[in-house]
Amino acid sequence: MVRRADSEAPSRGRGVGGGGGGGKVLVHMPSSEVVTSYEVLERRLRELGWERYLNDPCLLQFHQRSTVHLISVPRDFSRLKLVHMYDVVVKTRNVFEVRDAATTAAPP
């Protein structure tokens, strides 16, 4: 799961949800683990057959040999945005989901 730092004011007219409140987190659904770092994300993606792709100075990229999908996230985890989280969700159907941070309980 990936945790997004909400240090920026929400942009008007863009983004998901319209109100204030806590940020969003990326959750690995089978384990209910919140992704808090790229180590966690990469470990979970590797379990699904995703591999690191190329070596870009600005991005971390992952691909699956069996598909044309490419997941790209900023190399700096603090710059991870909602659009990146949803990119992971769409390309790993039924494995990750985005949740409100305020309603996501930490696993016991």
Side-chain angles (χ1 to χ4, degrees):
M1 297 177 194
V2 178
R3 182 173 303 273
R4 176 179 165 230
D6 269 26
S7 59
E8 301 172 10
S11 57
R12 300 203 184 275
R14 295 177 42 169
V16 176
K24 303 284 187 180
V25 292
L26 185 65
V27 178
H28 179 256
M29 292 175 11
S31 67
S32 296
E33 180 182 17
V34 175
V35 176
T36 56
S37 69
Y38 283 141
E39 286 102 17
V40 174
L41 179 61
E42 185 167 5
R43 177 172 40 88
R44 294 301 184 181
L45 289 174
R46 283 185 183 277
E47 291 170 359
L48 299 170
W50 290 82
E51 301 174 345
R52 275 280 185 98
Y53 184 72
L54 300 178
N55 192 12
D56 187 291
C58 300
L59 297 171
L60 292 179
Q61 295 181 312
F62 302 92
H63 83 289
Q64 272 186 319
R65 291 179 189 236
S66 61
T67 71
V68 296
H69 295 304
L70 184 66
I71 295 174
S72 297
V73 293
R75 192 169 284 278
D76 179 355
F77 188 78
S78 69
R79 296 189 183 277
L80 188 75
K81 298 197 181 303
L82 198 54
V83 68
H84 302 114
M85 292 183 201
Y86 279 113
D87 188 37
V88 173
V89 169
V90 167
K91 292 173 182 164
T92 60
R93 294 261 185 231
N94 302 315
V95 179
F96 290 93
E97 71 179 358
V98 175
R99 297 182 188 163
D100 290 326
T103 60
T104 304

